[in-house]
Structure formats: structure tokens, C-alpha cells
Amino acid sequence: MTDYFVESVGSVPTLYVFRNIFEAKEISEQIQLFAGIYEEELNKSFIEFWSLNSDKILAERLWINETNREPIWFAESDVESYQNFCEQIYVEQYQIYIKIYYEYYKHLHKSLTEKFDDQPISCEEEIDASFVDDFEKLQLLGLPTAFGRGTVVKQTKSKRSYPKVYSGYFSDEDNDCATVMDPVKINDLKDDDVKNSGTSSVHDIEVKVIGKKKKNRKLKGVPDFVLENKEILKYWRKRFSLFSRYDDGIRLDCESWFSVTPEKIATHLADRLSCDLIIDAFCGCGGNAIQFARTCNRVIAIDIDPIKISMAKHNAKIYGVDHKIDFIIGDFLQLSRCGRFHSDIIFLSPPWGGPKYKRKDHYDIENYLQPCNASSLMETAKSISENVVFYLPRNTTISQVIKLADKGNRCEVEHNYLDSRLVAITALYGESILKEKDI
Ligand code: MGP
Ligand code: SAH
């Protein structure tokens, strides 16, 4: 049997966030509702994604500052070429989105229902059909065909080649855990270079046949501290996804390497949770706290481990936000008992039990989370703020997450993908921080 994996390629991974609001008492109804409007949800979600990200994506594709990858130039008068370029990117982004959204949909169903049918609705054919006649299909679906602002028109020679840019996140040679997905249909987009090459590609999407593994993996340039602890090699390879300013001297210990929230996710959460005062109850080396400091007036960052706090302080200095964070060394559970902490939002990113958390099909937040189960953490957090946010493993049992909202209350579950990989889920509790979908 031939195995394929889909690898999204971009200088930094693209963040995809899919969200849903659940009511504690109506889980089954929610599933049915969601299944009934799959395509509508997909399109709405893509429109939101494109409106938020189009400028950035187009700019990234025009300006690729890596060696051997030249920027694309358009003559100022050649508006048509620029429009075509934008349309092409739009179509390819939609194709990628369809694939990732379907993975998300399957994942959500699987985690909500024990007996998951691999084809819950007959959307597979519809999805594949959308690879044909992409643009017409977009129009038929009622999607907007207006593209990103035409602000980046640059002078000189016109080039119509679309360079591939490899992701710092997943181009990892040692990473044998690439997400195994269904083969992507190669569409009719014209990319002769790619069609003639050894691997097939739909621009950002690479489809490779997994063959013999490379024996001599390149370890050139890998620092000694990583070679001494090979467990962190794969995390080190995506260091710039964890901290874009890694090379400015970011410090991480072993636990932090595998626990830190990747910067794109931390940035997204910080934008969403912007408020006056936020508490990061398990701050580690500062992945989240640093980003919160950008968007909130004040951050209280707590960790039980003094080494983590000293690293977090140091890292916050690199990002120029240390003056906005109060660092506290201590046990969050004990500190909360003093009753002196109150905040607009409390963010909980506790230890999950190390990288082995993913060995389980279903991660049980009432048994495996540290330093105590999710219900106790929630109770403690509620004594500090009515708005509670949990950062949890991707294999978390969603019904447990929903149960954490008291009866009659609602919670929102965000699935945070970097490229085609589900990294984690974020659960939000508290009416004022839930984000309604505009139906
Ligand atoms: P991962 O699953 O170890 O990495 O962690 P990856 O590359 O998705 O694994 P692979 O085996 O699929 O290749 C994914 C993300 O989960 C990390 O980037 C952290 O943000 C987060 N994370 C992982 N762990 C073990 C913890 C943890 O113990 N606590 C917290 N708060 N976050 C964690
Ligand atoms: N979100 C962080 C990573 C958190 S990892 C980041 O992006 O950098 C979880 C952290 O919880 C670890 O640093 C660990 O030292 C800390 N921790 C464990 N038990 C704790 C407790 N009882 N109180 C406070 N911190 C704790």
C-alpha cells in the first residue's frame, strides 16, 4: 500500500483555528446541527480565515527573504498579472483549507462520539469535486472572488513562477510523525516545474511517497546540548516556530522544549484574550506570557520552578516586554488559596505528563493532567476569575471539556492547527470571552 503525507510548506507554518461553542446539555444536537451544515460552516470559516490572513499570505508569497528564493516582481502597469497571482493563491489556499477542515471535522466527531464513522456525511465527493474547476466552484459556492488588497505591486520584471517555500515547522528530516492523510488530488493548476519534479505538489501542498528512510541524517550544525539529549532534536528543529527570536538568545530547559506554546498559537491567543489583567498560572519559560504582555495591560506569570521563572524573565526581556509581567515563583494551587488574586482572565497551560501524552487515543483530563485533575483546576481558577482558558492536548476527550462548563453554561473549543497538524486544543469558559459565529 502506498502511504502519503501532506506537508504544507511555508517559511513559517500557517495557523488554522477552528472553533465551536458547545452547551453542556446539548452535545448530540450540536453534532447533528454541525453535520447538517458542513459545507456552509467550511465556507464561512474559510472566508474568516482569508479575510484575516490574505494580506499576510500574499505578502509572504511575494517577499521570500530566504537564500535562493527570489521575490516575485510585477510591473506596476501589469495589474492583470498581479490579480491572476492573487487568484491563484486564493484557490490554492482554499484547497489546503478544505483538506485541513475535513481533518478537523473528522477529529471533532471522533472525539465527540466513540463510534465514529469515517464518512459521517457524504461530503467526501463534494470536497473532491471542488478540486475540479476551482474558480467556478468557488463562485458556485457563493464565495467572494475579491482578493487581497493590491498594495504590494512592485516594479520591474514580471515573473509567473510560484516558488515553494519549505516550512521550518515540518520540513524536519527526523520527523517521522508527519500527519498521514488521504492522498491529495493533484489539480489542474499549472505548475510545470512541480509536475516534472520527483514530488508532486499543489503549490503549498507536497505529496510524497514515503519510501526508504534516509540513513545518514544530517546532524551538522546541531548544537551539543541537543546532541546530548536527542529527545529535543525535533523540537530544536522547529525552534523558530516556537520563538521567532530564538537566535537572539532564547533560553529553554528540557521540559520547556516540549511544552512551550508555539509562537503563532500564543500570538493568536494573546490577540483573542486581550484584557487589563491576565494570569498565566503555569507560565513555564514564557511562551504565552510574553505574547499576553503585548496585548494585555498587565500579566501575572506563575511557575513552581524557579529556573523556569528565570528563563521566562530572560526571554521576556528579549521580546522587550519584561516590564509588563509580574513573575511569581510558587505553586499555583497554594497561591490561589490566599484569595488575593483576581483577574479578568486566567490562562491554564498545565503539565500534560510529558510528550507521552499522545500515546493514549483519548486523553483523560480528569486523570492525567498535573498537578491535579481538570475539575479541581477549574474550581480553583473560578475563584480567581470567571473567565478561564485551558490549553489542552489534541487528543483530549471533548465531552469532558464540555462537562467542565457548569450545567446550562457554554464553552468554546478551539482546534489550533499549524499547517496540517493539530497541535493542541484551547477551551474557553466565561460568556464574555466566547466568540459567537456570525451565522
Ligand atoms: P508535541 O505533541 O510534543 O509536539 O507537542 P508535536 O510536534 O505536535 O508532536 P508530534 O509527535 O505529533 O510530532 C505539541 C504542543 O503541545 C507543544 O508545542 C506544546 O505547545 C504543547 N505541549 C506539549 N506538552 C507535552 C505539553 C505540556 O506538558 N504542557 C503544556 N502546557 N503544553 C504542552
Ligand atoms: N505555557 C508555557 C508552558 C507551560 S508547561 C509556555 O508556553 O512556555 C507547564 C509548566 O507548569 C511547567 O513549567 C511547570 O514547571 C509548571 N508547573 C507545574 N506544576 C505547577 C504548579 N503547581 N504551580 C505552578 N506551576 C506549575
Side-chain angles (χ1 to χ4, degrees), residues 62-127:
L62 284 165
W63 290 103
I64 299 135
N65 299 316
E66 292 174 29
T67 36
N68 302 331
R69 296 182 191 130
E70 291 174 21
I72 300 167
W73 297 97
F74 294 100
E76 208 153 348
S77 53
D78 195 2
V79 176
E80 200 188 328
S81 295
Y82 180 68
Q83 280 293 331
N84 288 342
F85 168 80
C86 294
E87 284 166 16
Q88 183 125 16
I89 305 287
Y90 178 83
V91 170
E92 83 182 43
Q93 287 297 319
Y94 183 59
Q95 289 168 342
I96 294 169
Y97 201 87
I98 286 174
K99 233 22 213 173
I100 299 175
Y101 190 88
Y102 185 56
E103 286 307 309
Y104 153 68
Y105 179 80
K106 286 202 293 186
H107 182 92
L108 184 62
H109 262 253
K110 194 174 173 197
S111 45
L112 281 168
T113 55
E114 288 303 307
K115 277 191 256 141
F116 173 69
D117 176 0
D118 204 29
Q119 288 191 321
I121 56 164
S122 59
C123 57
E124 192 86 79
E125 294 93 320
E126 288 164 46
I127 288 169

Side-chain angles (χ1 to χ4, degrees), residues 9-167:
V9 285
S11 54
V12 278
T14 302
L15 172 69
Y16 297 89
V17 178
F18 304 114
R19 50 196 177 79
N20 254 293
I21 293 182
F22 296 96
E23 269 180 49
K25 51 179 181 173
E26 291 170 8
I27 300 172
S28 55
E29 281 173 38
Q30 293 254 8
I31 300 169
Q32 275 179 358
L33 179 74
F34 189 51
I37 52 173
Y38 175 86
E39 197 159 319
E40 196 185 318
E41 286 286 328
L42 159 68
N43 291 335
K44 236 181 342 182
S45 167
F46 178 70
I47 289 169
E48 188 181 325
F49 167 80
W50 185 249
S51 68
L52 284 174
N53 295 288
S54 58
D55 283 357
K56 214 165 35 189
I57 291 171
L58 290 169
E60 266 171 21
R61 298 298 288 269
L62 284 165
W63 290 103
I64 299 135
N65 299 316
E66 292 174 29
T67 36
N68 302 331
R69 296 182 191 130
E70 291 174 21
I72 300 167
W73 297 97
F74 294 100
E76 208 153 348
S77 53
D78 195 2
V79 176
E80 200 188 328
S81 295
Y82 180 68
Q83 280 293 331
N84 288 342
F85 168 80
C86 294
E87 284 166 16
Q88 183 125 16
I89 305 287
Y90 178 83
V91 170
E92 83 182 43
Q93 287 297 319
Y94 183 59
Q95 289 168 342
I96 294 169
Y97 201 87
I98 286 174
K99 233 22 213 173
I100 299 175
Y101 190 88
Y102 185 56
E103 286 307 309
Y104 153 68
Y105 179 80
K106 286 202 293 186
H107 182 92
L108 184 62
H109 262 253
K110 194 174 173 197
S111 45
L112 281 168
T113 55
E114 288 303 307
K115 277 191 256 141
F116 173 69
D117 176 0
D118 204 29
Q119 288 191 321
I121 56 164
S122 59
C123 57
E124 192 86 79
E125 294 93 320
E126 288 164 46
I127 288 169
D128 282 342
S130 69
F131 282 86
V132 185
D133 269 336
D134 310 299
F135 212 71
E136 270 176 39
K137 180 78 181 167
L138 293 180
Q139 282 172 323
L140 279 174
L141 289 172
L143 281 165
T145 46
F147 304 97
R149 278 187 267 133
T151 47
V152 211
V153 179
K154 295 287 163 192
Q155 244 183 341
T156 70
K157 57 181 171 165
S158 173
K159 249 187 168 185
R160 285 225 35 158
S161 67
Y162 306 106
K164 286 186 286 167
V165 189
Y166 289 85
S167 165

Side-chain angles (χ1 to χ4, degrees), residues 243 255-256 259-261 280-288 302-305 308 330-333 347 349-351 370-371 391:
F243 287 100
E255 185 184 2
S256 305
S259 309
V260 63
T261 305
D280 183 353
F282 302 90
C283 76
C285 64
N288 293 104
I302 303 171
D303 204 285
I304 200 166
D305 178 356
K308 300 276 196 312
D331 176 350
F332 164 64
L333 299 178
F347 180 76
S349 163
Q370 293 165 3
Y391 185 70

Side-chain angles (χ1 to χ4, degrees), residues 345-364:
I345 300 175
I346 178 155
F347 180 76
L348 307 166
S349 163
W352 303 346
K356 64 179 187 303
Y357 77 88
K358 56 198 147 206
R359 288 193 201 148
K360 304 262 178 206
D361 262 1
H362 300 283
Y363 185 92
D364 177 352

